[in-house]
């Protein structure tokens, strides 16, 4: 189980994450939602160990992750919001490099890489530099790299970015399959319908503060709202979207 206790992150003049606490359990998909600037990606980076909290603690199976960050990163797979890949490497070379950096055994890892490239329809382009890949192809490489070492915790920050419809459906099913096999999955996305379909529960941030942490079904009942999108709009969207859309339409029509 992943547990955050009163996690806070301050930058100069900004409180990005404000005493956030929640748990993500094995066998569940936890949706992590919030408007742009709400602190989602900052939280993800603190969970990965890329960024240190200003205060608070993060635990996995009861052990503080900062007790041994190297060991922690062996247990975790991360698909970041922004794909930073080495463009001069081919897709195959990039995944081989990831396997080597993680100290994975050569032959089983080569077989796994070959299988992932085939299943994600990248095998025919495995010798093409990543710089020539489409956004969706680069996203598939990132997902493959995150799963290569069979992590216990999978962090997905906008994983559907750039994916075609077919691959998106496969990834949605894969997220559920991995959870069913006992993985801890924390999943952030702007695609509300997808989050609603795959998540067991949702955590919602607004201005760095936690405003919801419950199952979608309980939130629907408590708020008497039919969809996650409407729940999110009620809790985390400040503007009147209908009024704003009318103003924009009026403006462009002169």
């Amino acid at each position: 189980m992943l547990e955050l206790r009163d996690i806070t992150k301050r930058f100069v003049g900004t409180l990005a994450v404000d005493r956030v606490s929640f748990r993500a359990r094995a066998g569940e998909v936890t949706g992590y939602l919030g408007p742009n600037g709400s602190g989602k990606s900052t939280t993800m980076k603190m969970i990965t160990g890329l960024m240190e909290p200003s205060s608070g603690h993060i635990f996995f199976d009861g052990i503080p992750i900062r007790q041994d960050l190297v060991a922690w990163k062996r247990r975790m797979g991360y698909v970041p919001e922004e794909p930073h890949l080495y463009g001069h490497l081919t897709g195959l070379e990039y995944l081989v490099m990831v396997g080597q950096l993680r100290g994975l055994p050569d032959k089983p890892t080569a077989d796994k890489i070959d299988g992932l490239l085939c299943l994600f329809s990248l095998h025919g382009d495995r010798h093409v530099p990543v710089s020539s890949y489409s956004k969706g192809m680069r996203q598939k490489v990132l997902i493959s790299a995150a799963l290569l070492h069979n992590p216990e915790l999978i962090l997905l920050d906008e994983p559907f970015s750039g994916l075609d419809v077919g691959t998106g459906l496969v990834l949605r099913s894969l997220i559920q399959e991995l959870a069913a096999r006992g993985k801890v999955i924390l999943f952030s996305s702007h695609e509300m319908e997808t989050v609603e379909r795959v998540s067991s529960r949702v955590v919602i941030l607004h201005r760095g503060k936690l405003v919801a942490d419950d199952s979608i079904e309980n939130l629907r009942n408590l708020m008497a709202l039919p969809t996650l999108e409407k729940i999110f709009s009620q809790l985390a969207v400040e503007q009147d979207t209908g009024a704003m859309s009318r103003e924009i339409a009026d403006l462009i029509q002169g």
Side-chain angles (χ1 to χ4, degrees):
M1 179 177 68
L2 174 71
E3 182 179 4
L4 279 67
R5 294 184 193 169
D6 293 321
I7 286 295
T8 297
K9 184 61 182 179
R10 296 182 184 86
F11 298 105
V12 177
T14 304
L15 184 59
V17 178
D18 187 4
R19 293 175 296 174
V20 167
S21 299
F22 67 88
R23 294 174 177 177
R25 296 170 177 82
E28 292 185 347
V29 180
T30 302
Y32 196 43
L33 305 175
N36 288 338
S38 63
K40 299 189 311 299
S41 291
T42 299
T43 311
M44 288 281 198
K45 289 174 183 174
M46 288 189 284
I47 295 170
T48 63
L50 294 172
M51 190 179 287
E52 187 171 357
S54 303
S55 61
H57 301 280
I58 301 172
F59 300 86
F60 192 72
D61 289 345
I63 300 171
I65 66 167
R66 302 201 74 84
Q67 181 174 301
D68 187 342
L69 281 176
V70 174
W72 164 236
K73 289 176 182 180
R74 293 193 186 105
R75 306 178 71 182
M76 173 196 66
Y78 175 43
V79 177
E81 183 177 14
E82 295 296 330
H84 297 294
L85 298 166
Y86 296 106
H88 63 284
L89 297 178
T90 67
L92 175 60
E93 288 171 339
Y94 182 84
L95 291 175
V96 168
M97 178 193 70
V98 169
Q100 291 173 342
L101 289 173
R102 289 196 172 277
L104 302 178
D106 291 342
K107 182 60 169 67
T109 304
D111 292 341
K112 191 180 290 188
I113 289 171
D114 194 62
L116 286 167
L117 289 170
C118 287
L119 290 167
F120 279 119
S121 302
L122 292 171
H123 199 265
D125 296 296
R126 65 191 183 282
H127 298 305
V128 176
V130 170
S131 59
S132 300
Y133 282 14
S134 68
K135 185 176 182 180
M137 292 168 73
R138 291 195 295 272
Q139 194 71 2
K140 292 177 189 180
V141 172
L142 279 175
I143 293 166
S144 298
L147 299 178
L148 191 59
H149 58 300
N150 190 28
E152 297 170 58
L153 167 70
I154 301 167
L155 301 170
L156 304 169
D157 196 354
E158 298 295 341
F160 291 87
S161 180
L163 296 182
D164 59 84
V165 174
T167 306
L169 290 172
V170 170
L171 179 58
R172 191 166 77 185
S173 180
L174 176 61
I175 290 169
Q176 293 173 306
E177 179 67 28
L178 291 170
R181 297 189 183 198
K183 306 295 186 186
V184 180
I185 297 180
L186 186 63
F187 165 44
S188 177
S189 175
H190 287 100
E191 297 187 14
M192 292 291 161
E193 183 182 352
T194 299
V195 175
E196 186 163 15
R197 284 179 179 272
V198 306
S199 299
S200 312
R201 61 189 300 110
V202 291
V203 174
I204 301 177
L205 288 189
H206 181 53
R207 294 179 177 265
K209 291 181 178 290
L210 189 145
V211 294
D213 177 10
D214 209 336
S215 71
I216 296 173
E217 183 179 0
N218 282 348
L219 288 172
R220 283 198 202 104
N221 293 334
L222 285 169
M223 300 183 68
L225 292 170
T227 66
L228 178 59
E229 183 175 10
K230 290 186 180 298
I231 292 167
F232 180 79
S233 296
Q234 184 81 18
L235 291 174
V237 179
E238 294 179 347
Q239 71 265 29
D240 182 334
T241 54
M244 181 174 289
S245 64
R246 288 191 291 274
E247 287 184 32
I248 294 171
D250 289 344
L251 181 67
I252 63 175
Q253 286 185 339

